[in-house]
Amino acid sequence: MDGRTGAARGRGAKKAVPDAAFDIWLRRGLHQMFDDVAREPIPPELLQLIERDRRK
């Protein structure tokens, strides 16, 4: 045993690839599911509530 940690032996690098692939998959899936909703205009009632709260 040479005393190096798991990351120093390369284990950390191997884990990064699946994590990156999962992050890409998740981001694309979330965009597909929620982009249309995020593009919708904010309802005037909600804007009024925000403005009232901001004045307090």
Side-chain angles (χ1 to χ4, degrees):
M1 200 167 219
D2 60 9
R4 291 187 292 176
T5 64
R9 284 181 277 188
R11 288 187 193 160
K14 290 180 182 177
K15 188 175 187 311
V17 173
D19 287 349
F22 176 76
D23 288 345
I24 291 169
W25 172 81
L26 182 62
R27 192 175 309 120
R28 286 180 183 163
L30 290 172
H31 277 289
Q32 287 176 346
M33 291 186 333
F34 296 111
D35 275 356
D36 290 337
V37 174
R39 286 189 202 109
E40 290 180 7
I42 300 172
E45 297 84 6
L46 181 56
L47 290 173
Q48 289 172 354
L49 288 173
I50 293 169
E51 281 302 319
R52 269 191 247 149
D53 185 61
R54 194 179 289 171
R55 289 185 210 129
K56 288 183 182 180

